[in-house]
Amino acid sequence: MKNFIVLGCIGLVAYSIFRSSSGEVPFPMEVMTQDTGSTWRPKSERIRVVLFTGTSWCPACKKLDSSVISKPAWKEFAENEIYFTSYNFPTDRSLVSDRALDLQEEYNVKSFPTMVVLNENFEKIDQFVGSGPPVENFKHWIRAHRE
């Protein structure tokens, strides 16, 4: 019985970290390593992306930050192709802005890190929970929402 509970917990954690998005576009789980660069897009064509993270306490958030968000390829992508906003949730919730808390509730964010893709009306169209894959996987997933 104890082994069954341990296996169940491991499965639940793996599912929450590596599950595909809740919308129409599945997240590519096969590691993508070829750099696809970045193409400047006019503001009217940029996809809105919001990241909810807790880099001071969340191991998956720290991994996402070090393996994706802090990379030059992501920074170039965020600067040229998307509207990117990140909200950090420290352990002391009193330090979280009211705007971040409102958006967390509006987009039903329950786990960290969560990356949310929004349409032009700021309505959630998709999300990905977890870290793991490299920058190119995130770029591919976000770009797929443009099609």
Side-chain angles (χ1 to χ4, degrees):
M1 183 65 177
K2 183 178 178 182
N3 289 341
F4 179 76
I5 292 172
V6 169
L7 285 174
C9 290
I10 291 170
L12 183 60
V13 168
Y15 172 76
S16 68
I17 291 174
F18 296 111
R19 73 184 172 121
S20 72
S21 57
S22 62
E24 302 267 333
V25 179
F27 192 91
M29 294 312 294
E30 184 176 317
V31 173
M32 303 172 83
T33 57
Q34 184 172 0
D35 185 0
T36 58
S38 169
T39 304
W40 184 87
R41 295 208 171 261
K43 291 183 180 184
S44 61
E45 294 181 16
R46 294 185 184 197
I47 297 170
R48 291 158 180 82
V49 179
V50 180
L51 174 64
F52 296 87
T53 187
T55 54
S56 66
W57 56 270
C58 166
C61 299
K62 290 177 184 180
K63 179 173 175 38
L64 181 66
D65 187 61
S66 67
S67 66
V68 177
I69 305 304
S70 65
K71 297 293 184 188
W74 175 265
K75 290 179 181 185
E76 179 183 355
F77 174 68
E79 184 177 307
N80 290 320
E81 294 191 43
I82 62 175
Y83 285 115
F84 180 67
T85 305
S86 179
Y87 292 100
N88 192 30
F89 287 73
T91 50
D92 183 353
R93 298 286 285 209
S94 68
L95 300 175
V96 179
S97 72
D98 290 341
R99 176 78 175 140
L101 292 170
D102 290 345
L103 290 174
Q104 179 189 22
E105 184 176 331
E106 180 178 346
Y107 300 134
N108 198 28
V109 173
K110 304 277 187 210
S111 303
F112 296 96
T114 297
M115 191 172 288
V116 178
V117 177
L118 308 173
N119 65 17
E120 60 277 354
N121 297 318
F122 298 93
E123 298 164 331
K124 180 168 86 171
I125 56 173
D126 212 347
Q127 74 175 23
F128 178 80
V129 178
S131 60
V135 174
E136 292 304 319
N137 288 59
F138 283 93
K139 288 166 55 175
H140 176 83
W141 175 69
I142 292 167
R143 286 174 177 150
H145 291 89
R146 187 175 296 123
E147 300 165 357

